[in-house]
Amino acid sequence: MNSLTNLPEWKAIKSHWQTLSKRHMRELFAEDPGRFRRMSTEAAGLFVDYSKNPVTGETLSLLLDLARAVQLPEWRDRMFSGEHINNTEDRAVLHVALRNRSSRPITTDGADVMPGINTVLAQMEAFTHALRSGEWKGYTGNQITDVVNIGIGGSNLGPLMVAEALRHYQSAGLRVHFVSNVDGTHLTETLKPLNPETTLFIIASKTFTTQETLANAHAARDWCLASMPDDAAIARHFVAVSTNAEKVEAFGIDPQNMFIFWDWVGGRYSLWSSIGLPIALAIGMANFYELLAGAHEMDEHFRSAPLAENIPVILGMLGVYNHNFNGIKTHAILPYDQYLRYLPDYLQQADMESNGKGVTRDGLPVDYSTGPVIWGAAGTDGQHAFYQLIHQGTQVISSDFIAPVHSHNELSDQHEKLLANFFAQTEALMKGRTREEAEAELRTQGLGDEARQALLPHKVFPGNRPTNSILIDKLTPRRLGALIALYEHKIFVQGVVWGVNSYDQWGVELGKQLAGVILKELEGDARPELHDASTSGLVAHFKALRGKPAAE
Ligand code: F6P
């Protein structure tokens, strides 16, 4: 029996919620004029308003009691001090070291990791300079104009999201592309407009064993060699980012062209390492350092701010509260910034691969819910797609609204229009619309009694939907770094409360293993006895159709 739900601090929140759940946030706002002032805060250039959650000052103090009871500060210190908190893989968790812009040494297993980090940063800097200046030439002497990152999961989503978020900072002469899917369409369509003589591939894989990445890497090599049939071309057009030097060499990439990182960097926390190379190439090393600096600012805040003022702690504990006590199982990420449109996808992996766990660190089944479903899309597109369900659906959904105060692209009053929607949505989600208000509105529209009564139920909004609002002065590399680090630490906080190891991902293994078995069958004889009837039937059907010409 797991002890979390038996903690007095957990039980105290449960009984507090029984009372508070009967209150509407409208009332909480009405009775406390200081609510916004007290329930909003700022750190590392991010202004966070969490007042539109169904909480009072007492709730927050009970949540912090729980944080202390699960030893959150101690776990945080263990992470920063390089302890092997990833117990199932026996590894430290030190992505914070990658952006440690102070001179403070960070040690694990008795060694300071900072000199190694700084060496790789210097290597990235030199390569970034060489490529962007045109000093680095392709095999036929042409300058590189296109970089294709081949990687998947953490070796794709972070760099993809950041490169897009910072598109404003990209230099016009160098385009960055991302290929992740083993579906040949992804690589084929990406390469169609490109010229092998001016294209550089980054093969990004922590393990360098990932099937999708290696298949795409081999296909990219064939594409390159088809027009430059000399193995020497590979040295000018392929670099690798990995922890596995042996496999990189076996693939045929010159070790000189390899950028390393370390096993204490989790894939989904790796954009700060050499996995960030496509980011650095796209926006320049100075901007990449700014990204690191912003994350470092947030790290320092997380490491030293008192719990009651600590933004990742507050957002993490509110998330636990909404998930475990308020029963909210899905959380939407809603950036009101087109540049942040991949943020929901990125956070999906960061959060769901980290906290989608059903056993504790010690392998005991949990008797409470962990990891919410994370999803979302850029506003206002989302408003015209799925917000209906958030407003009036039967399941309550919590959301984070994120927006910059200043846009990089101020067209007329379009930013005001965008932000008007941002503020209006969080207001509507909190307040809802009562029967009386809806009826009054219908009256002003001159509807007769019968028509009014028929429409009324459809016009009522329950409200009381929790939201957090995050305002960023401007989407700069530094602010983006802080924003991402905020979410990383929020995930950490929740993992500590739920007692899970947020840094392994055994759950993705089974599908990979079975795919290996099935691939052999697709390429050879099917073995129906290996599977259930459905899987065997589907494999047989596929093979039968593969033997016939495709429909035109
Ligand atoms: O399958 C999930 C995963 O292991 C992720 O955790 C990781 O980010 C991704 O695959 C890619 O792994 P690699 O960088 O080793 O190719």
Side-chain angles (χ1 to χ4, degrees), residues 80 94-108 111-122 262 264 292 296:
F80 277 92
L94 276 182
H95 46 275
V96 291
L98 299 167
R99 62 239 188 171
N100 172 21
R101 306 306 292 155
S102 71
S103 49
R104 187 170 60 87
I106 297 187
T107 55
T108 187
D112 183 4
V113 295
M114 292 315 300
I117 290 171
N118 290 329
T119 302
V120 175
L121 282 172
W262 303 271
W264 40 258
L292 301 185
H296 179 61

Side-chain angles (χ1 to χ4, degrees), residues 152-155 204-208 210 213 267-268 349 353 505 508 512:
I152 197 164
S155 301
S205 174
K206 179 174 171 178
T207 55
F208 228 77
T210 303
T213 300
R268 53 195 174 274
Q349 186 201 13
E353 201 167 86
Q505 55 284 317
V508 294
K512 285 187 192 173

Side-chain angles (χ1 to χ4, degrees), residues 150-456:
I150 295 182
I152 197 164
S155 301
N156 168 65
L157 286 164
L160 167 72
M161 181 274 286
V162 173
E164 185 57 28
L166 299 177
R167 183 176 277 273
H168 175 80
Y169 296 84
Q170 289 194 20
S171 72
L174 192 66
R175 291 170 294 273
V176 185
H177 315 263
F178 293 87
V179 172
S180 54
N181 200 332
V182 73
D183 179 343
T185 301
H186 202 173
L187 185 70
T188 306
E189 289 296 339
T190 306
L191 297 186
K192 259 184 197 168
L194 305 189
N195 173 359
E197 294 180 23
T198 56
T199 300
L200 178 100
F201 291 94
I202 301 174
I203 312 301
S205 174
K206 179 174 171 178
T207 55
F208 228 77
T209 58
T210 303
Q211 187 198 53
E212 293 90 335
T213 300
L214 290 183
N216 278 323
H218 281 286
R221 187 166 61 178
D222 292 347
W223 180 77
C224 214
L225 289 175
S227 63
M228 296 176 286
D230 179 352
D231 276 349
I234 301 303
R236 303 308 297 167
H237 293 271
F238 280 77
V239 300
V241 177
S242 187
T243 58
N244 193 339
E246 231 171 81
K247 297 264 185 216
V248 168
E249 222 174 324
F251 179 86
I253 294 180
D254 186 344
Q256 299 282 345
N257 293 348
M258 176 180 171
F259 298 81
I260 63 161
F261 63 111
W262 303 271
D263 70 358
W264 40 258
V265 182
R268 53 195 174 274
Y269 297 89
S270 65
L271 72 88
W272 322 99
S273 71
S274 48
I275 286 287
L277 185 62
I279 304 172
L281 292 175
I283 63 172
M285 203 62 193
N287 281 322
F288 187 72
Y289 284 133
E290 276 291 292
L291 181 80
L292 301 185
H296 179 61
E297 251 185 89
M298 184 53 74
D299 293 342
E300 289 302 279
H301 167 77
F302 179 52
R303 206 162 66 87
S304 57
L307 296 189
E309 293 158 28
N310 197 309
I311 299 182
V313 173
I314 294 168
L315 292 189
M317 295 310 295
L318 286 171
V320 167
Y321 174 74
N322 281 327
H323 186 73
N324 294 102
F325 299 94
N326 196 355
I328 296 177
K329 299 302 175 215
T330 95
H331 183 74
I333 304 292
L334 306 170
Y336 277 62
D337 187 318
Q338 185 67 9
Y339 285 130
L340 286 176
R341 68 177 181 280
Y342 294 131
L343 185 67
D345 308 58
Y346 168 77
L347 290 178
Q348 211 162 47
Q349 186 201 13
D351 201 319
M352 293 169 77
E353 201 167 86
S354 295
N355 287 339
K357 312 281 163 72
V359 295
T360 64
R361 272 181 230 104
D362 304 323
L364 299 170
V366 298
D367 62 353
Y368 43 85
S369 179
T370 66
V373 173
I374 303 292
W375 58 288
T380 57
D381 289 334
Q383 285 177 212
H384 294 273
F386 52 77
Y387 277 37
Q388 166 63 37
L389 187 145
I390 307 186
H391 283 288
Q392 289 186 312
T394 51
Q395 57 176 308
V396 179
I397 291 168
S398 56
S399 330
D400 288 351
F401 282 70
I402 305 161
V405 172
H406 300 283
S407 168
H408 285 295
N409 304 294
E410 299 272 354
L411 291 184
S412 168
D413 66 346
Q414 286 189 213
H415 198 58
E416 269 65 33
K417 289 194 168 107
L418 179 68
L419 270 285
N421 277 284
F422 175 104
F423 298 126
Q425 289 297 330
T426 67
E427 182 175 26
L429 286 166
M430 187 279 282
K431 278 190 180 163
R433 186 161 55 188
T434 62
R435 233 184 137 73
E436 295 68 36
E437 286 166 347
E439 184 147 28
E441 190 186 285
L442 289 173
R443 266 182 213 285
T444 60
Q445 291 168 6
L447 288 188
D449 264 4
E450 205 178 315
R452 224 173 43 236
Q453 291 313 316
L455 258 188
L456 197 51

